[in-house]
Amino acid sequence: MAKIVIALGGNALGNTPAEQLELVTETAKPIVDLIEQGNQVVIAHGNGPQVGMINLGMATAAEEGAIKSDMPFPECGAMSQGYIGYHLQNAIGNELVHRKMNKEVVTVVTQVLVDENDAAFSNPTKPVGAFYDKATAEKISAEKGYTMVEDAGRGFRRVVPSPKPVDVIEKKAVEALIESGCVVVTVGGGGIPVVRKNGKLYGTPAVIDKDFASEKLAELIDADMLIILTAVEKVAVNYNKPDVKWLSSMTPAEAEKYIKEGQFAPGSMLPKVQAAVMFAQSRNGRSSLITSLDKALAAMKGETGTVITA
Ligand code: ADP
Ligand code: MG
């Protein structure tokens, strides 16, 4: 039996509530396969489209005067954790009942500590929300203090920083739930970013990379394995090129070499490989696996996927 943190990518969830509810029915199956084999499973997930939808919907309604206030970004993140968590609880729960397995699935609204001195705060990079023309962008920037930047010729958008996760505030609760036999959904969307000032936590508008947050969580709860499920079965070098080579395994040293060569796209495969290496190096006996959702079980048997071990 192993303690496994699974990080679900965007392809496991989809873009609308209806699409998501349908997709998670499929997402649940390989997850329950792993549970059925006796593993303790903790689930983390992305939230890009979902938090975008919530943020944009609330901002639009506020601009129209239909609601009294805009929804702050950390609150949007909290809402996305509840929304996605509910769908995962529903789908995984149904699959467990279908297999006559007596387990409960629970979502923990999770805060993740970031350092207010993280260099990311002076260089916000993650675009969120609607596109505006220059004049409107300048007005919003003056009113709300948002950083607005031009996004690939499509207009101006708000950008927020992407700091590194330092700690998972609810880690003990997550551990207690795992120990009691629950399937836990946590650090959704990388967690709600909070900073600590004079002993108090404050939500801050930022986006923590879900692959890094999953890695941090996996270390903190002393997991044996970090499984990053995404749209590709294996990690590749020379990706999208004629001489593409799919990797069955990677050592941290090999990964570093490939990273230096620029083999992994920043913002997509790069953080996954970095998180996988970090976890594999964090303690003896820990390993990481990057594969696709439908290949998770086969990859656990060593038949496919990219395994990273120190
Ligand atoms: P997720 O939502 O799971 O985080 P991303 O789109 O952020 O997914 O990252 C996964 C994607 O990274 C893959 O679908 C693939 O298109 C892309 N990618 C970039 N570089 C590589 C590489 N070297 N090997 C495999 N996939 C890569
Ligand atoms: Mg991603």
Side-chain angles (χ1 to χ4, degrees), residues 22-293:
E22 201 181 310
L23 266 175
V24 288
T25 312
E26 293 307 310
T27 303
K29 291 174 188 165
I31 293 173
V32 175
D33 288 341
L34 294 177
I35 300 167
E36 201 165 27
Q37 292 185 334
N39 299 299
Q40 290 178 316
V41 171
V42 181
I43 299 151
H45 59 82
N47 75 342
Q50 295 82 1
V51 75
M53 178 165 60
I54 293 164
N55 181 52
L56 189 55
M58 291 296 185
T60 308
E63 279 163 24
E64 294 292 320
I67 54 174
K68 277 189 186 162
S69 164
D70 204 347
M71 190 62 65
F73 200 71
E75 278 77 352
C76 291
M79 288 181 171
S80 79
Q81 289 185 346
Y83 156 50
I84 298 166
Y86 151 55
H87 276 183
L88 289 169
Q89 285 175 213
N90 182 270
I92 298 167
N94 284 341
E95 185 65 26
L96 287 165
V97 169
H98 175 69
R99 300 195 202 182
K100 303 198 165 39
M101 292 165 68
N102 183 21
K103 263 185 182 296
E104 285 187 18
V105 190
V106 59
T107 300
V108 176
V109 174
T110 313
Q111 306 173 88
V112 171
L113 185 71
V114 296
D115 180 354
E116 63 176 325
N117 297 315
D118 191 307
F121 282 104
S122 46
N123 179 30
T125 51
K126 279 264 180 193
V128 293
F131 292 95
Y132 298 97
D133 59 48
K134 192 161 193 261
T136 313
E138 278 167 1
K139 187 168 161 275
I140 294 173
S141 177
E143 273 173 15
K144 301 187 177 174
Y146 294 173
T147 309
M148 309 289 281
V149 300
E150 234 224 303
D151 190 338
R154 292 180 295 178
F156 286 78
R157 257 179 125 182
R158 180 185 185 193
V159 284
V160 297
S162 188
K164 291 286 186 297
V166 174
D167 196 11
V168 177
I169 303 300
E170 289 80 11
K171 63 183 180 240
K172 291 212 179 86
V174 170
E175 280 200 281
L177 287 163
I178 303 167
E179 288 314 313
S180 75
C182 291
V183 180
V184 189
V185 181
T186 179
V187 296
I192 305 159
V194 293
V195 292
R196 187 176 274 128
K197 281 182 197 158
N198 303 320
K200 275 177 118 181
L201 297 174
Y202 298 89
T204 185
V207 174
I208 302 167
D209 187 283
K210 72 111 178 24
D211 298 311
F212 292 140
S214 306
E215 191 281 330
K216 179 59 74 182
L217 173 82
E219 279 195 42
L220 290 169
I221 65 170
D222 197 17
D224 306 293
M225 204 170 178
L226 172 66
I227 305 186
I228 300 178
L229 297 180
T230 185
V232 287
E233 194 174 324
K234 291 184 181 189
V235 180
V237 288
N238 306 326
Y239 182 69
N240 269 342
K241 291 186 190 144
D243 55 345
V244 60
K245 191 177 136 211
W246 300 99
L247 305 168
S248 299
S249 65
M250 235 187 316
T251 63
E254 286 165 342
E256 292 309 331
K257 176 178 156 278
Y258 297 142
I259 289 170
K260 283 207 186 81
E261 291 171 10
Q263 294 282 358
F264 313 124
S268 63
M269 190 47 78
L270 180 61
K272 295 183 204 315
V273 172
Q274 289 173 323
V277 167
M278 229 184 282
F279 185 68
Q281 283 185 318
S282 63
R283 184 175 298 170
N284 249 346
R286 286 178 175 169
S287 67
S288 309
L289 170 64
I290 302 175
T291 190
S292 60
L293 192 62

